[in-house]
Amino acid sequence: MDDLDRALIALLTADARQPLATLARKLKVARTTVQSRLERLEATGAIVGYTLKLGQSAERPRIRASILVSIEPRNQASILTRLRAIPEVERAFTTSGRFDLLLQVAAATTEQLDSVLDGIGALPGVRSSESLIHLTTRIDRIA
């Protein structure tokens, strides 16, 4: 991946719906160059898809939280299997430091979120968990 590829990805990250001609003009290259770069980036897996990001008015209201989870040694695989079965768990990250996992969860109500948090804390092999409820989004660069 070279500088042109990175610049193309940056433009697409800002707005993936830009026409090829617009991208070519901004990058100061031919439209066919942009097309072939996109095809190559898709073929190599650097670009795996294009998504739709809903605005606040179209998005269902969701209460999100980050859950820091400390687990018993050698229980990560079984816990991850159980977490995959919980639809409110959107993402799970391994971490370094005091906690072993960082989970992003979303629920429609505080009651549902409370139930999910209780369920995660009760999983066999979970030592402890700490919840951080998301309030206001100040920066959002994820598409």
Side-chain angles (χ1 to χ4, degrees), residues 78-142:
S78 65
I79 289 173
L80 287 172
T81 299
R82 289 183 180 99
L83 290 172
R84 281 186 189 90
I86 303 172
E88 292 83 3
V89 176
E90 295 180 323
R91 293 184 171 139
F93 304 93
T94 55
T95 63
S96 61
R98 260 181 351 141
F99 294 96
D100 302 297
L101 296 173
L102 169 65
L103 310 177
Q104 179 181 312
V105 300
T109 65
T110 54
E111 292 81 9
Q112 182 185 13
L113 180 61
D114 191 36
S115 176
V116 170
L117 297 176
D118 288 345
I120 291 169
L123 290 174
V126 170
R127 275 192 203 161
S128 66
S129 65
E130 184 175 324
S131 307
L132 305 163
I133 309 300
H134 299 192
L135 299 175
T136 304
T137 301
R138 301 293 184 183
I139 298 171
D140 186 0
R141 292 190 179 111
I142 298 175

Side-chain angles (χ1 to χ4, degrees), residues 31-85:
R31 186 194 149 299
T32 55
T33 301
V34 172
Q35 178 66 44
S36 65
R37 292 291 181 121
L38 276 176
E39 289 170 359
R40 184 176 48 75
L41 289 167
E42 290 169 356
T44 61
I47 295 176
V48 294
Y50 302 86
T51 64
L52 171 70
K53 183 176 179 181
L54 296 175
Q56 294 261 340
S57 63
E59 201 174 65
R60 289 183 313 176
R62 304 283 283 167
I63 301 164
R64 286 196 162 73
S66 293
I67 318 297
L68 298 163
V69 182
S70 177
I71 61 175
E72 298 289 336
R74 295 178 292 286
N75 282 318
Q76 188 175 64
S78 65
I79 289 173
L80 287 172
T81 299
R82 289 183 180 99
L83 290 172
R84 281 186 189 90

